[in-house]
Amino acid sequence: MATDKPFNPFRMAQAQFDKIADLIGLDEGSRKLLREPLREYHFIVPIRMDDGSIEVFRGFRVQHNDARGPCKGGIRFHPQETIDTVRALAMWMTWKCAVADIPLGGGKGGVICDPHNLSSREQEAICRGYIRRISRDIGPVADIPAPDVMTSSQHMLWMLDEYEAVHDGHFPGLITGKPVGLGGSKGRTQATGYGVVYTLREALRELDIRPENTRASVQGFGNVAQYAIELYAQMGGRTVCVSSWDQEDQTSYSFAKWDGVDLQELRGITDRFGGIDKQKARDLGYELLPGEAWLEQEVEILLPAALENQITEDNVTRLKPCVKVIAEGANGPTTPEADTVISERGIFLIPDFLANAGGVTCSYFEQVQSNMNYYWEMDEVLGKLDMKMTSAFMAVSNLARRNKLYMRDAAYVVAIDRVATACRDRGWV
Ligand code: NAD
C-alpha cells in the first residue's frame, strides 16, 4: 500500500520512544521530559558569497538531553535539512550515547545549504557564522559538535578556530572530528564503519554464521560505508553491491559486481561526497542498476549507510529470503512499518544507534585525549573501540534474548532506562 503522508523523522523518533515507554511502564513525568528536546536554537547565518552578494542560511542546534553528560552530536550541511530531522537525530544521539555507555547526552545541528554549490571559502564562512551564533550555548562541558553528512574535519577545524577566537583560549575539547595532529584522534575516520562491523561480527557469531560465507549489499559509499566494507572484507566477507547519489542526474544508482566490489578501485572513481562516477564504474565492469536495487540483492547482509527513511513499507517486501542481518550504518534508515515486517521475518537487525555508535564512542575518546593533551596510537583506539562496541552489543543482545525482544526494542530499553535513571537520580522527575 502506498503512503502519501509526508515523512517526519521526529514523529518517528517519538513513536519509537512512546512504544518503549509503554513496554517498560515508564512514569508520566519521565515520558514528558524525554519525548521533547531540552533546548533548541534557530538562527540565520548571513554570508558574503564569492560574487559579492549576501546570502542567508538557516541553522539549528538541538540539545535533547544532557542528564548523563554534555550533549554530543554532529552538524549536517544538507539542502533538505529540517528542524524535525535535527530533533530526531538529537534524540537518537541521547539513546546512542546511553547504549554505548559513554558519559554524554544527545545533541545535533544542521544548516540548510548544499555544499556542492558552495566554494570552500563560502563553506568556511558558514562554519564561522554558525559558531558565532551559538558560541555561548555550546562548549566542552555543555555541547560538543562533530562532523556529519557533508561536513568534514576541515569544517570542524574552522568551527574550533572561530570558537577559540570568540572565547580567547584553546578549547580542543569543544569539537570532535578534528584532523589528526590538531587535536583529532587516530581511528576517528574509520570508527563508525568499523564499529558497524564489530557489531555485525558479533551478530554473525550469535547466528553461527561465518563472515567468509556471507555477501553484503550496501546503500551509500561515503565515510561509513567505505570503512564498513573495508573491515568486512578483512573478515572475509564479500560486498557485491553499493549505491550512491548521482549529483548530475539527481537520483541514486546501485553498482553491482557479483565477484565482489574492489574497494580501492571504487574509491578511485568516487568524489569527496561519496558519489560514484557511473561511466567509469561501467568501464570497470560494474552493473549499473536503479537506486533501490541495493536492497533486493541475493545477500545475507544489508547495510544501509546513506540516509534516513530508506527501508519502508513500500519496498521491504523486496528483501530476498536469504537476508539474515541488517546492520544500520545510517541513522533512521528503517521506518516503523518496515520494522514490523523485518521483525516478523526473523531478520537479525542491529539498530542504528547501536550499530553506528562507533563514531560517537571514538569522538568521546577524542575528547578524553584532547582534555589530557595526550594522544593514543591507532591500535589503542581501535582496541578500546572494539571493546566498547562489543560490550554494548552484548548488553542489548543478552536482553533481547532473555526477554524475547526485537533488537531495536532491546536497545531502546537499555538506553531509555539508563537516561531515565540519570534524570531521576538528578531529581529532574
Ligand atoms: P557521507 O556524506 O560520507 O556519505 C553519504 C553517502 O550516501 C554518499 O555515498 C552518497 O552518495 C550516498 N547517498 C546519499 N543519498 C543517497 C540515496 N538516496 N541513495 C543512495 N545513496 C545515497 O555520509 P556518512 O558520514 O557516511 O554518513 C552516512 C549515514 O551514517 C548518515 O545517516 C549519518 O547520519 C550516519 N552516521 C555517520 C557517522 C559518521 O561518523 N560519519 C556516525 C554515525 C552515523
Side-chain angles (χ1 to χ4, degrees):
M1 197 174 62
T3 38
D4 47 13
K5 309 188 279 279
F7 171 68
N8 183 321
F10 186 47
R11 297 284 160 255
M12 170 172 146
Q14 287 185 316
Q16 288 168 339
F17 168 75
D18 291 342
K19 179 178 151 195
I20 303 303
D22 287 344
L23 189 75
I24 63 176
L26 191 66
D27 64 278
E28 201 49 39
S30 301
R31 280 177 196 239
K32 282 189 206 155
L33 174 68
L34 291 174
R35 71 195 303 286
E36 300 290 339
L38 279 181
R39 292 177 286 274
E40 57 182 58
Y41 306 91
H42 299 224
F43 42 87
I44 56 166
V45 181
I47 298 301
R48 186 171 297 281
M49 306 296 280
D50 289 349
D51 66 4
S53 65
I54 298 289
E55 197 60 71
V56 293
F57 294 91
R58 187 159 293 280
F60 309 109
R61 186 75 192 167
V62 174
Q63 296 166 353
H64 172 256
N65 190 281
D66 57 10
R68 285 173 48 88
C71 293
K72 182 90 194 79
I75 298 175
R76 299 178 147 200
F77 283 1
H78 201 279
Q80 271 94 45
E81 191 64 285
T82 67
I83 184 61
D84 278 334
T85 308
V86 182
R87 286 175 179 141
L89 292 166
M91 188 191 266
W92 284 321
M93 283 302 292
T94 303
W95 313 139
K96 190 185 299 188
C97 291
V99 90
D101 205 11
I102 54 180
L104 297 169
K108 205 79 181 188
V111 178
I112 305 175
C113 70
D114 189 349
H116 292 96
N117 306 325
L118 294 165
S119 70
S120 174
R121 193 204 61 80
E122 289 164 342
Q123 292 182 47
E124 176 177 349
I126 292 177
C127 290
R128 292 185 184 278
Y130 183 96
I131 290 299
R132 286 198 299 278
R133 290 283 169 276
I134 196 84
S135 73
R136 281 187 302 270
D137 306 300
I138 59 172
V141 295
D143 181 5
I144 305 137
D148 202 275
V149 173
M150 289 201 269
T151 52
S152 66
S153 57
Q154 176 62 77
H155 297 94
M156 298 305 106
L157 202 53
W158 286 326
M159 290 185 181
L160 175 66
D161 189 65
E162 192 63 28
Y163 183 88
E164 292 184 338
V166 171
H167 291 276
D168 195 18
H170 280 282
F171 304 96
L174 163 78
I175 210 157
T176 61
K178 302 181 290 296
V180 173
L182 276 167
S185 175
K186 287 186 177 155
R188 178 62 187 86
T189 316
Q190 292 83 350
T192 308
Y194 277 20
V196 171
V197 175
Y198 294 140
T199 62
L200 172 63
R201 179 196 63 206
E202 295 307 310
L204 292 175
R205 188 171 292 163
E206 198 169 309
L207 296 171
D208 207 15
I209 299 172
R210 296 168 71 88
E212 55 271 34
N213 297 336
T214 63
R215 298 152 298 182
S217 181
V218 181
Q219 188 189 33
F221 195 64
N223 171 265
V224 178
Q226 291 187 26
Y227 286 100
I229 292 169
E230 182 173 285
L231 189 61
Y232 172 64
Q234 284 170 24
M235 278 168 26
R238 180 158 49 110
T239 300
V240 297
C241 185
V242 301
S243 71
S244 79
W245 181 254
D246 189 279
Q247 187 59 19
E248 196 181 51
D249 296 356
Q250 289 291 301
T251 188
S252 55
Y253 292 105
S254 300
F255 301 83
K257 204 181 227 184
W258 202 242
D259 315 343
V261 306
D262 180 328
L263 183 62
Q264 296 315 330
E265 180 182 83
L266 269 186
R267 274 178 171 153
I269 58 166
T270 299
D271 67 23
R272 67 201 160 97
F273 302 108
I276 300 170
D277 185 315
K278 54 185 182 304
Q279 191 47 52
K280 289 184 181 152
R282 266 206 209 97
D283 294 345
L284 289 167
Y286 289 85
E287 194 181 344
L288 191 63
L289 301 168
E292 279 201 351
W294 72 277
L295 60 68
E296 49 192 25
Q297 300 301 307
E298 291 275 346
V299 291
E300 289 69 37
I301 295 156
L302 288 178
L303 218 158
L307 290 178
E308 60 278 349
N309 194 31
Q310 297 302 304
I311 305 178
T312 66
E313 66 181 321
D314 296 334
N315 63 25
V316 68
T317 48
R318 285 157 48 194
L319 267 53
K320 289 284 189 288
C322 51
V323 173
K324 298 279 186 300
V325 181
I326 300 176
E328 294 183 328
N331 288 313
T334 310
T335 64
E337 297 79 13
D339 246 354
T340 309
V341 177
I342 291 167
S343 164
E344 281 166 7
R345 279 182 52 174
I347 296 173
F348 194 111
L349 179 119
I350 314 174
D352 49 6
F353 63 103
L354 170 62
N356 69 30
V360 73
T361 303
C362 194
S363 297
Y364 164 60
F365 294 160
E366 179 177 332
Q367 245 225 329
V368 171
Q369 294 169 80
S370 286
N371 293 341
M372 288 192 299
N373 203 15
Y374 173 71
Y375 291 86
W376 307 335
E377 289 308 318
M378 180 71 100
D379 284 356
E380 189 170 356
V381 175
L382 295 181
K384 286 182 159 71
L385 182 66
D386 192 349
M387 210 151 53
K388 267 304 211 188
M389 293 302 293
T390 302
S391 50
F393 177 91
M394 299 306 270
V396 173
S397 86
N398 287 345
L399 182 75
R401 247 176 304 140
R402 206 170 48 240
N403 293 5
K404 298 206 178 358
L405 290 173
Y406 184 48
M407 277 290 282
R408 191 186 311 281
D409 295 347
Y412 268 114
V413 170
V414 169
I416 292 172
D417 185 55
R418 285 178 182 162
V419 179
T421 302
C423 293
R424 260 195 312 275
D425 289 352
R426 283 176 176 275
W428 289 1
V429 284

